[in-house]
């Protein structure tokens, strides 16, 4: 089932730069996505490696900006390549999955794919992908319900004026991470209540916002005239201190007198440094595990290949050698959205000195991707097929869903073939 492209064009006279960027979006077809998943499971039962890989690539098209889901599909592709005897591709796709997710049993499946139980491992991977997709979709639906009309930043220019590193390039402030990527989350976040989980703060794209961990102020250490630490009383649990407090209280008939506490013997005053005297009391005072909540199971990874600050394009040997950038649309859609390529983001692709530069106008950081890091550049076979959509996948697991400015299959194929040629990729 092929999704139907919907093109929305402006009816007023616009400058050439705006007219060149015809607004368009592709409605999400949930039924087509479901059929793609069914096709994956059916073809897997036939033990046809080539057909399985094609089915996995089609399935990936429905999750262009979901690294947690892509990781499972990459891992399933690695197992399939290994079962077909292509160990090189199995290693590449396993590493792509590991860069997006914590390695687990499935990441070693390529090394033992011919052993008994390989199909069980594949079934476990596919079940994990399905569970992850359901969890992510539930989170996104909850976010969209709480933010029915999110504010969308419209770029001042449809496309960057120059590729990153050019002489006339004007750096644009980075206002958001690459769709699906976010700064790393803290391992633990203190919970103010153990009875009810605290809500997780999300940004405008639905990514978790990293919260700073509270820091305990450092207490000054008292010292004597010679600068040596003064031993401090060791705090004890209330149950242990209560009888001693009662013993310290004077009788009512006698005047109050100062009594030396018996729980701190004088002969042990300098027996050991003060820092080694606090053992059992601090163990009793340590917060219990129930007072902390685990981070989100599908935390987003860091954006790879960020162009370094001050990056400059390499100097050309002769006039005329400079390549021309390719204008494309970059898909920002997330699982749970109604449309692909909505909101519209223009970007420039340029190949120079063996690397691909990606300069977006949607607020993300420009990327510098070495050709050796690119696994594949292929045309889409389902999602936005009629618009000429294609995708780029790297060894770090980055998935870029793109479409040509002319939104035609012919222009998309021409752009894809030109990129392959300039990058020296034979696919």
């Amino acid at each position: 089932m092929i999704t139907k492209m919907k093109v929305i064009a402006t009816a007023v006279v616009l400058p050439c730069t705006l007219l060149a960027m015809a607004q368009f979006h592709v409605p999400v077809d949930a039924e087509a996505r479901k059929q793609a998943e069914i096709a994956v499971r059916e073809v897997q039962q036939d033990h046809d490696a080539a057909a399985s890989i094609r089915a996995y690539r089609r399935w990936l098209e429905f999750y262009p900006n979901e690294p947690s889901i892509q990781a499972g599909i990459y891992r399933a592709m690695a197992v399939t390549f290994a079962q077909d005897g292509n160990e090189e591709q199995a290693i590449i796709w396993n590493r792509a999955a590991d860069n997006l997710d914590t390695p687990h049993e499935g990441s070693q499946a390529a090394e033992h794919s011919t052993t008994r139980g390989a199909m069980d491992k594949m079934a476990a991977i596919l079940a994990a992908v399905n569970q992850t997709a359901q969890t992510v979709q539930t989170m996104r639906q909850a976010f969209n319900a709480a933010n029915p009309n999110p504010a969308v930043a419209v770029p001042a220019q449809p496309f960057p004026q120059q590729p990153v590193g050019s002489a006339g390039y004007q750096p644009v402030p980075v206002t958001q991470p690459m769709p699906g990527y976010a700064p790393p989350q803290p391992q633990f976040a203190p919970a103010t209540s153990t009875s009810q989980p605290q809500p997780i703060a999300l940004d405008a794209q639905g990514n978790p916002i990293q919260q700073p961990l509270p820091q305990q102020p450092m207490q000054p250490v008292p010292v004597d005239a010679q600068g040596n630490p003064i031993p401090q009383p060791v705090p004890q649990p209330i149950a242990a201190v209560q009888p001693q407090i009662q013993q310290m209280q004077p009788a009512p008939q006698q005047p109050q007198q100062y009594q030396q506490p018996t729980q701190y013997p004088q002969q042990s005053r300098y027996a050991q440094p003060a820092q080694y005297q606090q053992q059992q009391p601090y163990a009793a005072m340590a917060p219990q595990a129930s007072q902390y909540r685990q981070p989100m199971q599908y935390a987003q990874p860091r954006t790879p290949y960020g162009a370094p600050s001050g990056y400059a394009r390499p100097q050309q040997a002769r006039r005329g050698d400079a390549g021309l950038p390719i204008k494309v649309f970059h898909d920002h859609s997330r699982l749970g959205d109604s449309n692909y390529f909505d909101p519209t983001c223009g970007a420039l692709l340029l190949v120079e000195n063996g690397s691909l530069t990606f300069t977006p106008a949607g607020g993300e950081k420009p990327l510098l991707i070495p050709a050796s890091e690119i696994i594949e550049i292929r045309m889409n076979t389902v999602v936005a097929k009629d618009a000429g959509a294609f995708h780029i996948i790297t060894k770090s697991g980055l998935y870029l869903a793109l479409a040509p400015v002319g939104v035609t299959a012919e222009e998309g194929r021409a752009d894809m073939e030109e990129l392959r040629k300039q990058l020296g990729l034979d696919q």
Side-chain angles (χ1 to χ4, degrees):
M1 183 180 296
I2 299 176
T3 56
K4 182 180 180 181
M5 183 190 69
K6 180 179 180 182
V7 179
I8 303 178
T10 56
V12 297
V13 178
L14 298 175
C16 295
T17 55
L18 293 178
L19 188 60
M21 187 178 180
Q23 300 289 321
F24 87 103
H25 64 258
V26 181
V28 172
D29 191 337
E31 181 62 27
R33 183 173 60 206
K34 181 179 179 181
Q35 292 300 322
E37 179 182 353
I38 294 175
V40 165
R41 299 182 184 279
E42 290 178 348
V43 75
Q44 191 65 42
Q45 300 297 325
D46 297 336
H47 304 285
D48 186 339
S52 295
I53 294 300
R54 289 193 298 269
Y56 287 128
R57 287 193 173 107
R58 287 194 297 271
W59 200 16
L60 275 171
E61 295 176 17
F62 293 96
Y63 306 105
N65 295 300
E66 302 297 343
S68 58
I69 301 175
Q70 294 165 354
I73 300 178
Y74 292 161
R75 224 179 286 282
M77 294 176 67
V79 174
T80 304
F81 274 119
Q83 290 175 343
D84 195 41
N86 194 335
E87 295 295 334
E88 180 180 358
Q89 286 295 312
I91 293 174
I92 290 175
W93 289 100
N94 256 329
R95 289 178 178 173
D98 291 345
N99 286 329
L100 297 181
D101 193 12
T102 302
H104 51 72
E105 183 180 5
S107 62
Q108 278 77 38
E111 301 177 7
H112 308 285
S113 59
T114 57
T115 63
R116 193 163 146 190
M119 292 304 297
D120 293 337
K121 292 181 179 180
M122 177 63 75
I125 292 174
L126 296 182
V129 172
N130 185 57
Q131 180 181 3
T132 303
Q134 292 178 358
T135 302
V136 172
Q137 185 166 6
T138 300
M139 293 173 55
R140 290 290 300 170
Q141 288 175 346
F143 173 78
N144 291 339
N147 301 268
N149 296 307
V152 178
V154 179
Q157 295 290 338
F159 288 91
Q161 295 298 305
Q162 296 288 340
V164 61
S166 300
Y169 173 73
Q170 296 294 330
V172 178
V174 178
T175 59
Q176 63 176 332
M178 185 69 61
Y181 291 80
Q185 301 300 308
Q187 291 297 317
F188 295 96
T192 58
S193 173
T194 59
S195 58
Q196 296 181 355
Q198 297 299 311
I200 300 174
L202 303 176
D203 60 18
Q205 288 73 40
N207 296 317
I209 298 176
Q210 181 177 358
Q211 300 296 328
L213 294 177
Q215 298 181 357
Q216 297 294 337
M218 297 182 62
Q219 299 296 333
V221 179
V223 296
D224 56 20
Q226 287 74 35
N228 299 318
I230 299 177
Q232 299 298 311
V234 180
Q236 298 185 4
I238 295 178
V241 176
Q242 186 65 30
Q244 298 175 4
I245 294 177
Q246 296 177 358
Q247 295 176 5
M248 293 172 58
Q249 294 179 354
Q253 297 81 4
Q254 299 178 0
Q256 293 184 359
Q257 297 179 0
Y258 175 79
Q259 297 181 8
Q260 180 70 25
T262 57
Q263 64 270 28
Y264 308 116
Q266 294 295 328
Q267 60 271 18
S268 61
R269 184 175 181 183
Y270 301 103
Q272 53 185 351
Q275 61 268 28
Y276 295 105
Q277 294 179 3
Q278 301 172 350
Q279 297 178 358
Q280 178 61 30
Y282 277 92
M285 295 172 60
Q288 301 299 319
S290 61
Q291 296 178 344
Y292 291 87
R293 58 180 169 86
Q294 295 290 339
M296 293 179 59
Q297 185 176 0
Y298 306 108
Q300 310 301 334
R302 227 184 252 272
T303 305
Y305 311 115
S309 178
Y311 168 74
R313 292 172 55 185
Q315 297 293 327
Q316 302 297 327
R318 299 186 307 273
R319 181 178 298 179
D321 286 347
L324 296 177
I326 298 175
K327 293 183 178 181
V328 294
F329 294 121
H330 176 219
D331 189 2
H332 280 221
S333 66
R334 302 293 305 277
L335 184 60
D337 291 346
S338 301
N339 301 294
Y340 298 105
F341 294 96
D342 187 17
T344 305
C345 169
L348 300 180
L349 300 177
L350 179 65
V351 178
E352 282 187 323
N353 201 29
S355 293
L356 171 66
T357 60
F358 174 81
T359 311
E364 317 97 285
K365 184 176 183 179
L367 305 181
L368 182 62
I369 308 174
S372 59
E373 283 290 299
I374 297 176
I375 300 178
E376 68 177 34
I377 304 178
R378 290 182 181 272
M379 297 293 296
N380 282 12
T381 58
V382 182
V383 174
K385 173 184 176 181
D386 294 338
F390 61 97
H391 58 266
I392 300 175
I393 305 178
T394 72
K395 293 180 180 178
S396 72
L398 176 67
Y399 188 103
L400 293 176
L402 310 169
V405 174
V407 292
T408 64
E410 293 76 13
E411 184 175 347
R413 183 167 296 279
D415 290 346
M416 179 204 65
E417 291 178 350
E418 181 65 21
L419 290 174
R420 284 183 179 178
K421 177 183 177 180
Q422 295 183 18
L423 290 168
L425 301 179
D426 184 16
Q427 298 180 2

